[in-house]
Amino acid sequence: ERLQSAVGPLLRKLIEHKQNKGVFNEPVDPVALNIPSYPKIIKNPMDLGTIRKRLDACFYRTLEQFKDDVFLVFKNAITFNPPENNYHVCAQNLLKLAESEMPKIKNDIERNGRRHGDN
């Protein structure tokens, strides 16, 4: 529960970010998007909606697990799309945002853990 409250604001910020435009909030549908090569290139698909469901279900036990999935969303888009592609550029920007927020979240979790006497 402490993890959920610590990472929830970042997840909301990423989901609602103007550069997201909803693109990263749902699983990629290679058939609907006519990109049959997607599953051959991206072996571990991830999206922010799935992360939200996992967070709500208390799937994540550590910040590291949450961070890995968030970074995977954007690294997949960067891997699949060429550098001049808008999805690639937006994914880079959102990844930077997530990377910049993680140390603060980690510090908040550690500080709250000490205050409550549990590690």
Side-chain angles (χ1 to χ4, degrees):
E1 191 169 294
R2 188 167 69 233
L3 181 64
Q4 284 177 294
S5 61
V7 301
L10 171 61
L11 185 57
R12 257 190 315 283
K13 188 184 289 189
L14 293 169
I15 286 171
E16 296 170 0
H17 198 281
K18 66 179 185 207
Q19 288 203 341
N20 180 333
K21 297 182 180 86
V23 170
F24 302 107
N25 296 349
E26 297 178 0
V28 170
D29 183 342
V31 176
L33 297 171
N34 194 26
I35 47 174
S37 61
Y38 189 83
K40 295 179 184 98
I41 296 168
I42 302 302
K43 300 299 182 195
N44 297 303
M46 185 51 61
D47 64 277
L48 297 174
T50 297
I51 293 171
R52 176 186 272 166
K53 287 177 190 154
R54 287 179 168 190
L55 193 61
D56 291 346
C58 298
F59 173 86
Y60 299 109
R61 293 288 179 231
T62 67
L63 177 60
E64 196 69 23
Q65 291 172 324
F66 172 81
K67 181 183 90 167
D68 288 347
D69 274 358
V70 170
F71 288 9
L72 183 60
V73 172
F74 305 118
K75 288 180 178 179
N76 283 347
I78 291 165
T79 299
F80 185 77
N81 297 289
E84 66 279 0
N85 181 286
N86 192 47
Y87 298 129
H88 182 109
V89 173
C90 291
Q92 282 182 315
N93 292 334
L94 292 169
L95 178 60
K96 284 179 192 163
L97 172 64
E99 287 171 340
S100 72
E101 297 270 339
M102 286 299 168
K104 178 185 177 302
I105 293 170
K106 184 173 191 260
N107 288 340
D108 288 349
I109 290 171
E110 289 171 356
R111 191 169 43 253
N112 287 336
R114 281 194 296 273
R115 189 179 330 146
H116 298 309
D118 55 6
N119 292 329

Short mmCIF file of all heavy atoms in Angstrom, two decimals, residues 11 14-15 17 19-28 38 46-51 70 72-78 81 85-95:
data_model
loop_
_atom_site.label_atom_id
_atom_site.label_comp_id
_atom_site.label_asym_id
_atom_site.label_seq_id
_atom_site.Cartn_x
_atom_site.Cartn_y
_atom_site.Cartn_z
N LEU A 11 2.56 7.49 -11.98
CA LEU A 11 1.81 6.74 -12.98
C LEU A 11 0.71 7.61 -13.58
O LEU A 11 0.53 7.64 -14.80
CB LEU A 11 1.22 5.46 -12.36
CG LEU A 11 0.51 4.53 -13.34
CD1 LEU A 11 1.43 4.10 -14.48
CD2 LEU A 11 -0.04 3.32 -12.60
N LEU A 14 2.21 10.11 -16.00
CA LEU A 14 2.59 9.50 -17.28
C LEU A 14 1.36 9.19 -18.13
O LEU A 14 1.35 9.43 -19.34
CB LEU A 14 3.39 8.21 -17.03
CG LEU A 14 4.77 8.40 -16.40
CD1 LEU A 14 5.35 7.07 -15.97
CD2 LEU A 14 5.72 9.12 -17.36
N ILE A 15 0.31 8.68 -17.49
CA ILE A 15 -0.92 8.33 -18.22
C ILE A 15 -1.57 9.58 -18.81
O ILE A 15 -2.06 9.57 -19.93
CB ILE A 15 -1.90 7.58 -17.29
CG1 ILE A 15 -1.38 6.14 -17.06
CG2 ILE A 15 -3.31 7.56 -17.84
CD1 ILE A 15 -2.14 5.37 -16.00
N HIS A 17 -0.08 12.57 -19.38
CA HIS A 17 0.88 13.49 -20.00
C HIS A 17 0.48 13.81 -21.43
O HIS A 17 0.03 12.93 -22.19
CB HIS A 17 2.28 12.87 -19.97
CG HIS A 17 3.37 13.87 -20.17
ND1 HIS A 17 3.71 14.35 -21.42
CD2 HIS A 17 4.19 14.49 -19.29
CE1 HIS A 17 4.70 15.22 -21.29
NE2 HIS A 17 5.01 15.31 -20.01
N GLN A 19 2.21 14.31 -23.98
CA GLN A 19 2.95 13.57 -25.01
C GLN A 19 2.50 12.11 -25.12
O GLN A 19 2.85 11.43 -26.08
CB GLN A 19 4.45 13.64 -24.74
CG GLN A 19 5.01 15.01 -25.01
CD GLN A 19 6.50 14.99 -25.29
OE1 GLN A 19 7.20 14.04 -24.98
NE2 GLN A 19 6.97 16.05 -25.90
N ASN A 20 1.76 11.65 -24.16
CA ASN A 20 1.27 10.27 -24.20
C ASN A 20 0.14 10.14 -25.21
O ASN A 20 0.14 9.24 -26.03
CB ASN A 20 0.81 9.85 -22.80
CG ASN A 20 0.29 8.44 -22.75
OD1 ASN A 20 -0.21 7.89 -23.72
ND2 ASN A 20 0.38 7.83 -21.59
N LYS A 21 -0.84 11.02 -25.14
CA LYS A 21 -2.01 10.99 -26.03
C LYS A 21 -2.73 9.63 -26.00
O LYS A 21 -3.31 9.21 -26.99
CB LYS A 21 -1.61 11.34 -27.47
CG LYS A 21 -1.06 12.74 -27.63
CD LYS A 21 -0.73 13.02 -29.09
CE LYS A 21 -0.19 14.40 -29.27
NZ LYS A 21 1.24 14.53 -29.06
N GLY A 22 -2.60 8.92 -24.89
CA GLY A 22 -3.26 7.62 -24.75
C GLY A 22 -2.53 6.47 -25.42
O GLY A 22 -2.91 5.31 -25.25
N VAL A 23 -1.48 6.75 -26.14
CA VAL A 23 -0.77 5.73 -26.92
C VAL A 23 -0.16 4.65 -26.02
O VAL A 23 -0.17 3.47 -26.37
CB VAL A 23 0.34 6.39 -27.77
CG1 VAL A 23 1.26 5.36 -28.39
CG2 VAL A 23 -0.27 7.26 -28.83
N PHE A 24 0.36 5.04 -24.88
CA PHE A 24 1.07 4.10 -24.03
C PHE A 24 0.19 3.52 -22.93
O PHE A 24 0.67 2.83 -22.05
CB PHE A 24 2.29 4.79 -23.41
CG PHE A 24 3.24 5.35 -24.43
CD1 PHE A 24 3.32 6.71 -24.66
CD2 PHE A 24 4.04 4.51 -25.19
CE1 PHE A 24 4.19 7.23 -25.61
CE2 PHE A 24 4.90 5.01 -26.15
CZ PHE A 24 4.98 6.38 -26.36
N ASN A 25 -1.11 3.79 -22.98
CA ASN A 25 -2.02 3.39 -21.90
C ASN A 25 -2.66 2.03 -22.11
O ASN A 25 -3.29 1.50 -21.19
CB ASN A 25 -3.11 4.44 -21.70
CG ASN A 25 -2.54 5.77 -21.24
OD1 ASN A 25 -1.38 5.87 -20.87
ND2 ASN A 25 -3.37 6.80 -21.26
N GLU A 26 -2.56 1.47 -23.30
CA GLU A 26 -3.17 0.17 -23.61
C GLU A 26 -2.16 -0.70 -24.33
O GLU A 26 -1.22 -0.19 -24.96
CB GLU A 26 -4.39 0.36 -24.52
CG GLU A 26 -5.50 1.15 -23.88
CD GLU A 26 -6.68 1.36 -24.84
OE1 GLU A 26 -6.61 0.87 -25.99
OE2 GLU A 26 -7.64 2.01 -24.44
N PRO A 27 -2.35 -2.03 -24.27
CA PRO A 27 -1.43 -2.92 -25.01
C PRO A 27 -1.44 -2.59 -26.51
O PRO A 27 -2.47 -2.22 -27.07
CB PRO A 27 -2.01 -4.31 -24.77
CG PRO A 27 -2.83 -4.18 -23.52
CD PRO A 27 -3.36 -2.77 -23.52
N VAL A 28 -0.29 -2.74 -27.12
CA VAL A 28 -0.18 -2.57 -28.57
C VAL A 28 -0.94 -3.71 -29.25
O VAL A 28 -0.75 -4.88 -28.89
CB VAL A 28 1.30 -2.57 -29.02
CG1 VAL A 28 1.42 -2.62 -30.54
CG2 VAL A 28 2.02 -1.35 -28.46
N TYR A 38 5.72 -6.54 -34.82
CA TYR A 38 5.83 -6.10 -33.43
C TYR A 38 6.14 -7.25 -32.46
O TYR A 38 7.09 -7.16 -31.68
CB TYR A 38 4.57 -5.35 -33.00
CG TYR A 38 4.71 -4.70 -31.64
CD1 TYR A 38 5.32 -3.45 -31.50
CD2 TYR A 38 4.25 -5.33 -30.48
CE1 TYR A 38 5.48 -2.85 -30.27
CE2 TYR A 38 4.39 -4.73 -29.24
CZ TYR A 38 5.01 -3.50 -29.13
OH TYR A 38 5.16 -2.91 -27.90
N MET A 46 4.53 -4.17 -22.72
CA MET A 46 4.04 -3.59 -21.46
C MET A 46 3.39 -2.25 -21.79
O MET A 46 3.78 -1.59 -22.76
CB MET A 46 5.19 -3.41 -20.46
CG MET A 46 4.78 -2.92 -19.09
SD MET A 46 3.44 -3.84 -18.28
CE MET A 46 4.16 -5.47 -18.13
N ASP A 47 2.40 -1.87 -21.00
CA ASP A 47 1.72 -0.59 -21.19
C ASP A 47 1.31 -0.06 -19.82
O ASP A 47 1.29 -0.79 -18.83
CB ASP A 47 0.50 -0.77 -22.10
CG ASP A 47 -0.54 -1.67 -21.46
OD1 ASP A 47 -0.41 -2.91 -21.56
OD2 ASP A 47 -1.47 -1.14 -20.83
N LEU A 48 0.99 1.23 -19.78
CA LEU A 48 0.68 1.88 -18.50
C LEU A 48 -0.64 1.40 -17.91
O LEU A 48 -0.79 1.36 -16.69
CB LEU A 48 0.67 3.40 -18.69
CG LEU A 48 2.01 4.02 -19.11
CD1 LEU A 48 1.84 5.51 -19.41
CD2 LEU A 48 3.09 3.79 -18.07
N GLY A 49 -1.59 1.00 -18.75
CA GLY A 49 -2.85 0.46 -18.24
C GLY A 49 -2.64 -0.85 -17.51
O GLY A 49 -3.24 -1.10 -16.44
N THR A 50 -1.79 -1.70 -18.05
CA THR A 50 -1.46 -2.96 -17.39
C THR A 50 -0.74 -2.69 -16.07
O THR A 50 -1.02 -3.33 -15.05
CB THR A 50 -0.59 -3.85 -18.31
OG1 THR A 50 -1.35 -4.17 -19.49
CG2 THR A 50 -0.14 -5.13 -17.61
N ILE A 51 0.14 -1.71 -16.07
CA ILE A 51 0.84 -1.34 -14.84
C ILE A 51 -0.16 -0.85 -13.80
O ILE A 51 -0.07 -1.23 -12.63
CB ILE A 51 1.93 -0.28 -15.12
CG1 ILE A 51 3.05 -0.88 -15.97
CG2 ILE A 51 2.48 0.29 -13.81
CD1 ILE A 51 4.06 0.11 -16.49
N VAL A 70 7.62 0.22 -15.91
CA VAL A 70 7.44 1.56 -16.48
C VAL A 70 8.49 1.83 -17.55
O VAL A 70 8.16 2.28 -18.66
CB VAL A 70 7.49 2.65 -15.38
CG1 VAL A 70 7.56 4.05 -16.00
CG2 VAL A 70 6.27 2.54 -14.47
N LEU A 72 10.10 -0.34 -19.26
CA LEU A 72 9.88 -1.26 -20.37
C LEU A 72 8.88 -0.69 -21.38
O LEU A 72 9.06 -0.83 -22.59
CB LEU A 72 9.39 -2.61 -19.83
CG LEU A 72 9.17 -3.72 -20.85
CD1 LEU A 72 10.47 -4.05 -21.60
CD2 LEU A 72 8.62 -4.96 -20.15
N VAL A 73 7.83 -0.03 -20.89
CA VAL A 73 6.83 0.58 -21.79
C VAL A 73 7.53 1.46 -22.82
O VAL A 73 7.32 1.34 -24.03
CB VAL A 73 5.81 1.44 -21.00
CG1 VAL A 73 4.91 2.23 -21.95
CG2 VAL A 73 4.98 0.59 -20.06
N PHE A 74 8.38 2.34 -22.32
CA PHE A 74 9.00 3.33 -23.19
C PHE A 74 10.19 2.77 -23.96
O PHE A 74 10.41 3.12 -25.12
CB PHE A 74 9.37 4.57 -22.37
CG PHE A 74 8.18 5.12 -21.65
CD1 PHE A 74 8.14 5.17 -20.27
CD2 PHE A 74 7.05 5.52 -22.35
CE1 PHE A 74 7.01 5.64 -19.60
CE2 PHE A 74 5.91 5.99 -21.70
CZ PHE A 74 5.90 6.04 -20.32
N LYS A 75 10.92 1.86 -23.36
CA LYS A 75 12.05 1.22 -24.08
C LYS A 75 11.53 0.39 -25.24
O LYS A 75 12.17 0.33 -26.29
CB LYS A 75 12.89 0.39 -23.11
CG LYS A 75 13.71 1.27 -22.18
CD LYS A 75 14.55 0.46 -21.23
CE LYS A 75 15.37 1.40 -20.35
NZ LYS A 75 16.20 0.67 -19.37
N ASN A 76 10.38 -0.25 -25.08
CA ASN A 76 9.79 -1.00 -26.19
C ASN A 76 9.47 -0.07 -27.36
O ASN A 76 9.76 -0.38 -28.51
CB ASN A 76 8.51 -1.71 -25.74
CG ASN A 76 8.78 -2.97 -24.94
OD1 ASN A 76 9.91 -3.47 -24.89
ND2 ASN A 76 7.76 -3.48 -24.29
N ALA A 77 8.87 1.08 -27.05
CA ALA A 77 8.52 2.04 -28.12
C ALA A 77 9.77 2.58 -28.79
O ALA A 77 9.80 2.77 -30.01
CB ALA A 77 7.68 3.18 -27.55
N ILE A 78 10.81 2.80 -28.00
CA ILE A 78 12.07 3.30 -28.55
C ILE A 78 12.72 2.23 -29.43
O ILE A 78 13.26 2.53 -30.50
CB ILE A 78 13.00 3.74 -27.40
CG1 ILE A 78 12.45 5.01 -26.73
CG2 ILE A 78 14.43 3.95 -27.89
CD1 ILE A 78 13.06 5.34 -25.38
N ASN A 81 10.23 1.69 -32.81
CA ASN A 81 10.04 2.82 -33.72
C ASN A 81 11.36 3.50 -34.05
O ASN A 81 12.19 3.69 -33.17
CB ASN A 81 9.08 3.83 -33.09
CG ASN A 81 7.70 3.25 -32.87
OD1 ASN A 81 6.96 3.02 -33.80
ND2 ASN A 81 7.36 2.98 -31.62
N ASN A 85 10.59 8.84 -35.60
CA ASN A 85 9.17 8.58 -35.36
C ASN A 85 8.69 9.30 -34.10
O ASN A 85 9.38 9.33 -33.09
CB ASN A 85 8.98 7.06 -35.25
CG ASN A 85 7.53 6.68 -35.04
OD1 ASN A 85 7.00 6.86 -33.95
ND2 ASN A 85 6.92 6.15 -36.08
N ASN A 86 7.49 9.85 -34.17
CA ASN A 86 6.93 10.60 -33.03
C ASN A 86 6.79 9.73 -31.78
O ASN A 86 7.03 10.20 -30.67
CB ASN A 86 5.58 11.21 -33.42
CG ASN A 86 5.12 12.22 -32.40
OD1 ASN A 86 5.88 13.09 -31.97
ND2 ASN A 86 3.87 12.10 -31.97
N TYR A 87 6.40 8.46 -31.93
CA TYR A 87 6.27 7.57 -30.77
C TYR A 87 7.62 7.38 -30.09
O TYR A 87 7.71 7.32 -28.88
CB TYR A 87 5.69 6.21 -31.16
CG TYR A 87 4.30 6.29 -31.73
CD1 TYR A 87 3.98 5.69 -32.93
CD2 TYR A 87 3.29 6.97 -31.04
CE1 TYR A 87 2.69 5.76 -33.45
CE2 TYR A 87 2.00 7.05 -31.56
CZ TYR A 87 1.72 6.43 -32.76
OH TYR A 87 0.44 6.51 -33.27
N HIS A 88 8.67 7.27 -30.89
CA HIS A 88 10.03 7.11 -30.37
C HIS A 88 10.41 8.35 -29.54
O HIS A 88 10.88 8.23 -28.41
CB HIS A 88 11.01 6.92 -31.54
CG HIS A 88 12.42 6.70 -31.14
ND1 HIS A 88 13.05 5.48 -31.28
CD2 HIS A 88 13.35 7.53 -30.61
CE1 HIS A 88 14.31 5.58 -30.86
NE2 HIS A 88 14.51 6.81 -30.45
N VAL A 89 10.16 9.51 -30.10
CA VAL A 89 10.52 10.78 -29.43
C VAL A 89 9.72 10.95 -28.14
O VAL A 89 10.28 11.27 -27.09
CB VAL A 89 10.29 11.97 -30.39
CG1 VAL A 89 10.50 13.30 -29.67
CG2 VAL A 89 11.22 11.87 -31.60
N CYS A 90 8.41 10.72 -28.21
CA CYS A 90 7.57 10.85 -27.01
C CYS A 90 8.00 9.84 -25.94
O CYS A 90 8.05 10.17 -24.75
CB CYS A 90 6.10 10.65 -27.36
SG CYS A 90 5.43 11.99 -28.36
N ALA A 91 8.31 8.62 -26.36
CA ALA A 91 8.75 7.59 -25.41
C ALA A 91 10.05 8.01 -24.73
O ALA A 91 10.21 7.82 -23.52
CB ALA A 91 8.92 6.25 -26.12
N GLN A 92 10.97 8.60 -25.49
CA GLN A 92 12.23 9.08 -24.89
C GLN A 92 11.94 10.14 -23.82
O GLN A 92 12.53 10.11 -22.73
CB GLN A 92 13.14 9.67 -25.96
CG GLN A 92 13.88 8.65 -26.78
CD GLN A 92 14.80 9.32 -27.78
OE1 GLN A 92 14.43 10.28 -28.46
NE2 GLN A 92 16.01 8.80 -27.88
N ASN A 93 11.05 11.07 -24.14
CA ASN A 93 10.74 12.15 -23.20
C ASN A 93 10.05 11.62 -21.94
O ASN A 93 10.37 12.05 -20.82
CB ASN A 93 9.87 13.21 -23.88
CG ASN A 93 10.63 13.95 -24.95
OD1 ASN A 93 11.85 14.05 -24.92
ND2 ASN A 93 9.92 14.47 -25.93
N LEU A 94 9.11 10.68 -22.12
CA LEU A 94 8.41 10.12 -20.97
C LEU A 94 9.34 9.24 -20.13
O LEU A 94 9.23 9.21 -18.90
CB LEU A 94 7.17 9.37 -21.43
CG LEU A 94 6.07 10.28 -22.01
CD1 LEU A 94 4.98 9.45 -22.68
CD2 LEU A 94 5.48 11.18 -20.95
N LEU A 95 10.25 8.54 -20.79
CA LEU A 95 11.24 7.75 -20.06
C LEU A 95 12.12 8.65 -19.21
O LEU A 95 12.37 8.36 -18.03
CB LEU A 95 12.09 6.92 -21.03
CG LEU A 95 13.20 6.08 -20.40
CD1 LEU A 95 12.65 5.07 -19.41
CD2 LEU A 95 14.01 5.38 -21.49
#
